[in-house]
Each structure stands twice: as structure tokens, then as C-alpha cells.
Amino acid sequence: MTILSKINSRLWITYVLLVVFVLVVAFSGIVIAFRNSPLLYWKEFVQLNYVTNSLTNRLDFFLESNWEKIIHLFLVETDLQDVRVLIFDQDGWLKLDSMADVHSPVPMVADIPSVFNRTEGSIRLFQDNDRQFWFYQINMIDESLYLLAAIPRPKLEIRTIFQDELLKPLFRAGIIAMCVALIISWFVARWITNPLKNISASASKLATGDFSPIELKGPLEVQNLAQIINSMDRQVKDTMQSQKDFVANVSHEFKTPLTSIQGFTQAIQDGTIQSKEETRNAAAVILDETNRLNYLVNDLLTLAKLDAGTLKMDKRELNLNPIINKVVEKFSYQMSNKELEAEINFSADNVIMGDGERIIQVFNNLIDNAIKFSKPQGKIYISDQQDNRFVIIKVEDSGMGISKDETGKIFDRFYQADKSRGRKSSRSAGLGLSIANQIVKAHDGTISVDSELGKGSCFMVKLPIAHAISK
């Protein structure tokens, strides 16, 4: 038996036990209610009411006669009616008990006029000294005497209760309800476990790479589980594809400089390159490609540390304005070659808590890209925007722009929106924006882009202000 079959069985058994328990409790309550209900004692109540009223009227008629002469007849009549009759005076003292020689005495009734006023016309229950329960009714004979008629409460067996005409249909209805509930519980158990079986089968296929989306069926919780597994499948597929792309891109990025290094080294070794000028050019190419490999390895190590959270950040208060000014100044030679103009407009000091070296790395990448992809004789705009918690630094170029389809991918590793131009740079491996994104995230910020083809791009770096963090 599989795990899901066991779950199905346990769910069904649980529902069965629950239904049986509820029905047993319900029937027990009904039996108890019937046992204490006047409906089962209606014969006794009718008899008690008749005897009480009849004897009260007779005693009231003979009250002025000689009591001793009528008492014998009174006792004989009560014995024939099988009713216990007690007469109390207004102080609660017992004057007469028709069954005093048969049953245990009853407790003294304190303040019997008050009891009569509360219970007039109704039938109540009391217990004698032998713990025998009696139904009783009180009537007033005159202002000084009260008649209490009592009849023993019958002891009813469960069988007797079930023979009642009202309980029989209830019992039949309970049996029908139990059968219907058991059938419904079986369907509910299958309604829950069948989607789980599909989820289990799909999860098993996921391990082998053969996975199809799970149909959303069953309870809401099971549907949520199916949605989570479907989402996990998409993430696994994306991760696997990302790994394949990563290996392919890394292989390509390493292969190109290694091929150049190998070719020029072999040419020097076999004597193809002999003159000093050719040797100097070959060494320059080897050095340039070696530097490219070094940059690539360092970028990969930086990304690995950022992913693992092991890259140490020396965070302290930094004013971004002079940092960005120095970065722009560093690229002044490249900008002059393309006749680019940098326009910097800061409205206030932008002080953050950050690692200066890593923040410089972020803006190095953004400004380098802005220069690289701007048209000659264009402009690069750098501005800021602040609220109570964040500062936003905008780096806007006048380049070719990025299509809407590519803006969501440019922060992926090795992705290059302009592959034809990317290879011209010794460091263009498609890792710069990915590293910048990770560094900004490590500073509890975000980086985004707003771009349109033919109109340039605007990169926005959002970072927490120092005083907002300290609060």
C-alpha cells in the first residue's frame, strides 16, 4: 500500500469515526432529553393533575364536617388512585401522609404558601429521604391547609425510550444520515487524496527532468501546493538552463583569450615570429588577453562571493557626490575621444552607509556603459533625487537604447544587449551589470533601467540614506 493510499484510508476512517462519534453524542443527548421530557410521563401527569384537583375539591367540601369521619374514605380513595397525598399546614408542618407506612418521610416544606405561589398549576420533582424521585403538584385547600399530591417517577429503560413514537423516526433518520455521511466522507477523502497522487507523480517525474504542469484540483490548500510545485518546476528549469548558459558563456569567454594566447605563444616558440617588433606586438596581445582573463576570473569570484554572502562589506558613511565626480573624471579621456559631455546635477549631499570600493565599482560600470553606448558628440546626464529614506542616482545616456524585451535580461550574467559591440571591449563579458545589481542589493538597494530604442537609457540606483538606516 502506497503512502497516499494509507492517507486515503486514514482520512476515510477519521471521517467515519467522527460521524459515528457525532451521531452517538447526538442520540445520547436525545435519549437524555427524552428521559427527562414530560412527553414520556404524560400518563402520570394526567393522573396526578386529575387526583390533585378532585381531592382538593372534595376536601374543601368536607372541611367543615367532622375530619375524623371522612379521613378513612380519603385514604381509601388515594390508595385506589395509587397517588401519595400529603397535607401541610401553612407553616409547612405535615398533617397527613397517605403512604407514611410504605414510603420514606418527605422533608419539611418551608414556607409552603410561597412554594404554592411559585408552582401553582405546574408539576415539579422532589426527592424523599430514600432518594426516590416523585412528581408532585400543590393545591390550596383553604388558607390554612395545602394538599400535595405525588406520584413516583417511573424508571424508564433505554428500550422503553426507543419505543416512543417520536424517537423511532429520529432513530431511522440518524441511521440514514450516518450512511449518507459515510458515503460523503469517502468522496471527500478521494477529493483530497487524488490531487495529492497527481502531485506525487509529477514530483517524481521532476527528479528525472520529465515534468508537466499539475492541474489545479481539490481543496484550496492542495491547489496552493500544486501551484508551488509548478512554480518550483519553472525555477528548476530556469536554473538548469541558466547553468547551461553559464557554462557555455564561461567556456566561450575563456576560450577566446586562451586561443589568442596559445596562438601567439606557439608562433614565438616555433619561430614564426622573429623580429623584435613582431615579438613586442605578440607580447602585448598576450598581456592584453591575460588581463582580460584576470578581469573575468575576478568578476566570477566576486559574483560567487556575493551569491554566498561571503563578500565582506566595509560599510561607513559615504557622500556619493565626490565619488561619482571622481569616477566621471577617471573616464574623461574616453569621453573626450568620443566628444562626449558629462552633465552632473546634484541637488544635495547624498550620504549613504556603504562600502566605498564596491560603490565605485557600481558607478564605474554604469558610466563605462553610458560612454560605450552613447553616440559621439552626445551627453551623459547624472542627477539625484531624494525622499526621507532613499536617494536615487540616475545615469542617463544618449545612446541607442534597449528594447523592452531586453530590459528584463540585462542584469543576467553574460547577457549583452549589444553583442556586436560588446566584444570590442577587453572586459565585456556581460558580468558588469550583474555584479552591480548584486552589490546594490547587498546595500539594501535596487537598480533598475528605463530605456527606449533610439532614445537612450536611464539607469537608476536606489540606496538607503545614512540617517534613515540609523533610525
Side-chain angles (χ1 to χ4, degrees):
M1 182 180 289
T2 63
I3 294 177
L4 287 174
S5 298
K6 291 180 180 178
I7 293 175
N8 188 37
S9 302
R10 289 174 183 173
L11 280 174
W12 190 80
I13 292 172
T14 302
Y15 288 135
V16 169
L17 293 176
L18 183 61
V19 169
V20 172
F21 173 76
V22 171
L23 288 176
V24 168
V25 171
F27 272 106
S28 300
I30 292 172
V31 169
I32 293 172
F34 264 77
R35 190 172 183 179
N36 297 326
S37 173
L39 294 174
L40 296 179
Y41 305 105
W42 65 273
K43 293 180 181 178
E44 286 77 10
F45 286 8
V46 170
Q47 182 183 3
L48 186 61
N49 187 65
Y50 168 75
V51 171
T52 302
N53 293 325
S54 174
L55 293 179
T56 301
N57 293 332
R58 292 183 186 184
L59 285 174
D60 185 37
F61 179 76
F62 290 108
L63 194 61
E64 296 179 358
S65 304
N66 189 342
W67 181 269
E68 298 295 334
K69 291 182 179 180
I70 65 171
I71 193 65
H72 178 70
L73 294 174
F74 176 77
L75 293 174
V76 170
E77 185 172 355
T78 58
D79 186 57
L80 291 174
Q81 295 290 346
D82 195 23
V83 175
R84 185 177 185 178
V85 176
L86 303 97
I87 297 178
F88 295 89
D89 63 15
Q90 60 184 358
D91 296 324
W93 292 102
L94 181 65
K95 306 291 289 184
L96 176 68
D97 185 350
S98 65
M99 296 184 180
D101 57 340
V102 180
H103 294 288
S104 172
V106 298
M108 176 182 174
V109 181
D111 194 11
I112 193 166
S114 176
V115 175
F116 168 72
N117 290 332
R118 293 197 313 268
T119 63
E120 183 179 6
S122 63
I123 295 175
R124 300 296 182 91
L125 190 69
F126 77 86
Q127 189 179 27
D128 64 18
N129 294 338
D130 289 336
R131 298 184 181 277
Q132 168 71 42
F133 285 97
W134 298 78
F135 291 118
Y136 73 92
Q137 188 175 24
I138 298 178
N139 266 4
M140 186 172 67
I141 301 173
D142 65 4
E143 293 180 356
S144 61
L145 294 174
Y146 293 86
L147 181 143
L148 186 151
I151 190 169
R153 187 182 73 173
K155 293 182 179 179
L156 298 177
E157 301 293 335
I158 298 297
R159 180 182 61 186
T160 306
I161 296 175
F162 274 93
Q163 289 175 349
D164 190 90
E165 294 180 357
L166 290 176
L167 196 58
K168 286 180 179 179
L170 287 176
F171 181 76
R172 287 194 293 267
I175 295 297
I176 295 172
M178 184 173 68
C179 294
V180 173
L182 294 180
I183 295 172
I184 293 175
S185 67
W186 183 79
F187 280 106
V188 170
R190 289 180 60 84
W191 177 57
I192 294 174
T193 55
N194 282 348
L196 289 175
K197 289 180 181 178
N198 295 333
I199 292 174
S200 177
S202 298
S204 299
K205 292 180 180 179
L206 178 61
T208 61
D210 180 18
F211 184 86
S212 55
I214 302 170
E215 189 176 357
L216 302 182
K217 289 183 178 180
L220 180 61
E221 293 79 4
V222 177
Q223 293 185 28
N224 290 338
L225 177 61
Q227 286 180 331
I228 290 171
I229 293 181
N230 286 338
S231 176
M232 182 181 67
D233 168 59
R234 289 190 293 269
Q235 291 177 8
V236 169
K237 288 180 177 178
D238 290 343
T239 301
M240 292 176 64
Q241 185 61 43
S242 177
Q243 289 178 345
K244 292 178 181 178
D245 293 342
F246 179 80
V247 172
N249 287 323
V250 167
S251 300
H252 180 80
E253 293 297 332
F254 274 93
K255 183 178 179 181
T256 303
L258 285 174
T259 301
S260 297
I261 293 171
Q262 183 182 18
F264 280 101
T265 304
Q266 188 174 357
I268 293 173
Q269 186 179 26
D270 61 18
T272 304
I273 296 178
Q274 295 181 351
S275 66
K276 290 184 179 181
E277 184 65 24
E278 290 176 339
T279 303
R280 190 181 298 110
N281 291 336
V285 172
I286 292 172
L287 179 60
D288 186 58
E289 296 299 335
T290 303
N291 288 334
R292 181 177 173 183
L293 284 174
N294 186 50
Y295 286 133
L296 180 58
V297 170
N298 287 335
D299 284 349
L300 290 172
L301 288 174
T302 301
L303 277 174
K305 289 179 181 180
L306 286 168
D307 287 340
T310 58
L311 186 65
K312 293 182 180 180
M313 295 283 182
D314 183 18
K315 293 184 179 180
R316 59 186 66 185
E317 282 197 5
L318 298 174
N319 190 341
L320 292 177
N321 298 3
I323 289 177
I324 295 173
N325 283 325
K326 288 181 180 180
V327 173
V328 173
E329 185 179 349
K330 184 176 72 172
F331 284 99
S332 60
Y333 179 74
Q334 288 92 324
M335 285 191 287
S336 64
N337 285 341
K338 292 188 70 171
E339 299 182 10
L340 295 175
E341 180 183 349
E343 184 176 316
I344 303 174
N345 184 16
F346 292 134
S347 59
D349 287 339
N350 298 298
V351 181
I352 67 164
M353 291 294 295
D355 185 319
E357 182 180 347
R358 299 302 172 187
I359 293 297
I360 289 173
Q361 190 174 359
V362 171
F363 288 103
N364 271 343
N365 183 273
L366 294 181
I367 294 173
D368 184 27
N369 283 346
I371 295 170
K372 188 187 304 179
F373 297 111
S374 287
K375 299 175 182 178
Q377 300 178 347
K379 273 190 177 183
I380 296 174
Y381 301 92
I382 300 174
S383 61
D384 67 342
Q385 181 181 336
Q386 280 194 23
D387 57 24
N388 292 330
R389 295 183 57 198
F390 294 95
V391 57
I392 300 175
I393 303 297
K394 299 180 180 180
V395 179
E396 188 174 358
D397 62 53
S398 55
M400 63 187 68
I402 307 169
S403 68
K404 296 295 182 183
D405 295 335
E406 292 183 315
T407 52
K409 302 176 183 178
I410 60 172
F411 296 105
D412 294 345
R413 297 170 189 184
F414 294 104
Y415 186 82
Q416 294 174 347
D418 183 17
K419 297 180 176 58
S420 63
R421 303 180 72 179
R423 298 303 176 195
K424 295 180 181 180
S425 172
S426 60
R427 290 196 57 197
S428 182
L431 293 175
L433 286 177
S434 181
I435 292 174
N437 185 36
Q438 293 287 75
I439 291 174
V440 172
K441 283 183 179 179
H443 285 77
D444 300 318
T446 59
I447 183 170
S448 57
V449 62
D450 184 15
S451 184
E452 186 177 348
L453 281 176
K455 295 185 178 181
S457 303
C458 179
F459 284 84
M460 293 160 283
V461 179
K462 185 177 182 180
L463 294 167
I465 299 175
H467 71 78
I469 296 175
S470 61
K471 289 180 182 180

